[in-house]
Amino acid sequence: MKARDRAAIAVLRATLAAIDNAEAVQTDEGTGVSLAIETSPVGVGATEVARRVLTEEDVRQIVRAEADDRERAATEYAELGRPERAEQLRSEAGALLAHLNPE
């Protein structure tokens, strides 16, 4: 990171956002919850919900999925005649996998 590799920084930020999204609490759509004022919770923190806690394996799966998405996109770009974009995506996938398996 000290070399200021902009591509690696961007892909790591995107992956951190994916992990953050995975920690979000799932909403129950269509549960019949009323939005009427009289049924709304009252008080400080009344509507706060604890975020999901991801295991290390959950995080690894998210990082692998992000790397796989970039590999698939790179293959598609290469087939469409965009080798420079394909190489960039492969570089991003490599950066993710390097952080996944630091050896």
Side-chain angles (χ1 to χ4, degrees):
M1 289 299 120
K2 290 184 180 182
R4 297 197 186 267
D5 184 359
R6 292 182 192 271
I9 291 170
V11 73
L12 290 173
R13 283 183 179 154
T15 303
L16 286 173
I19 292 168
D20 192 44
N21 288 341
E23 290 175 334
V25 176
Q26 297 293 324
T27 59
D28 295 329
E29 297 290 330
T31 58
V33 176
S34 172
L35 296 177
I37 292 173
E38 61 273 7
T39 62
S40 298
V42 178
V44 175
T47 60
E48 295 295 317
V49 178
R51 294 178 65 81
R52 290 181 40 211
V53 176
L54 300 177
T55 65
E56 188 172 329
E57 186 55 33
D58 293 336
V59 173
R60 286 181 183 279
Q61 288 175 357
I62 293 168
V63 174
R64 277 190 207 105
E66 290 289 315
D68 289 345
D69 287 347
R70 282 167 175 75
E71 286 290 341
R72 276 193 298 278
T75 301
E76 290 176 14
Y77 273 108
E79 290 172 356
L80 294 172
R82 299 277 315 270
E84 66 285 344
R85 180 65 177 138
E87 183 57 36
Q88 180 184 1
L89 287 167
R90 285 192 179 101
S91 173
E92 291 176 2
L96 288 176
L97 293 175
H99 285 281
L100 187 62
N101 301 315
E103 293 179 12

